[in-house]
Amino acid sequence: MTFLMVGLVSFGGGYAMIPLIQEEVLNRHHWMDAAQLTDIVAVAGMSPGPIATNIAVAVGYHQAGATGAVVASVAMILPSLALILAAGKLIMRYRDNRLVKSSFFGLRPTVAGMIVYAAILFAQNSGMSLAFDWRTWSQLAIFAGSLFALIYLHKHPFTVVLLSGLVGIAVYG
């Protein structure tokens, strides 16, 4: 039921769903601790497929094995499938409407804000703090290098993830 609700009320893609998933998994149900969920988010982000569905599969598996994984993934996907079919039909019919076009100017920055919020939570749960010790500075350097490689060097995300993991091994291993 939790992932059915998350799938129903979350908008903006998988990364925008992470704050709600975190609220449900950590604070409401206490299914795991923050470190476990952070690890799941990291693996889900590197895995093929939608990150929110990947998180649902991992949390479902953690709670109830293979059955939990299947139920959680179907619950996460079902609302999106139903809503996108209905919304797609409506948007195609009213896509030139002034109010519909205007609503997207309000939704886009909200979704971007939710993604930034998820990134901040992820960074905090990964051990980054406002103390700015050597570990935080090195993580900020890895973040900046990754962003630079993606935006300016046009490196493939897989390459950036692989190199960042190797840098993590070199620095923290």
Side-chain angles (χ1 to χ4, degrees), residues 5-13 16-18 20-21 80 83 114:
M5 187 269 306
V6 169
L8 185 62
V9 302
S10 297
F11 296 93
M17 292 177 170
I18 293 173
L20 181 56
I21 292 171
S80 298
L83 287 173
M114 292 174 76

Side-chain angles (χ1 to χ4, degrees), residues 139-165:
Q139 289 174 338
L140 286 172
I142 293 169
F143 166 77
S146 298
L147 196 59
F148 182 82
L150 290 166
I151 293 173
Y152 296 107
L153 301 179
H154 306 287
K155 296 297 179 187
H156 192 279
F158 178 78
T159 304
V160 173
V161 168
L162 181 64
L163 290 175
S164 297

Side-chain angles (χ1 to χ4, degrees), residues 68-167:
V70 170
V71 169
S73 63
V74 169
M76 180 66 88
I77 293 168
L78 221 61
S80 298
L81 178 62
L83 287 173
I84 200 67
L85 290 173
K89 187 170 183 151
L90 286 173
I91 287 173
M92 292 308 290
R93 181 178 292 166
Y94 298 107
R95 68 177 173 248
D96 294 326
N97 181 289
R98 181 182 59 85
L99 294 176
V100 171
K101 284 183 178 180
S102 298
S103 71
F104 284 104
F105 286 107
L107 291 172
R108 289 178 189 132
T110 301
V111 169
M114 292 174 76
I115 292 169
V116 169
Y117 177 70
I120 290 168
L121 289 177
F122 184 75
Q124 288 173 335
N125 290 332
S126 296
M128 292 183 76
S129 70
L130 297 177
F132 288 104
D133 57 4
W134 74 271
R135 188 176 299 266
T136 302
W137 284 110
S138 62
Q139 289 174 338
L140 286 172
I142 293 169
F143 166 77
S146 298
L147 196 59
F148 182 82
L150 290 166
I151 293 173
Y152 296 107
L153 301 179
H154 306 287
K155 296 297 179 187
H156 192 279
F158 178 78
T159 304
V160 173
V161 168
L162 181 64
L163 290 175
S164 297
L166 293 174
V167 169

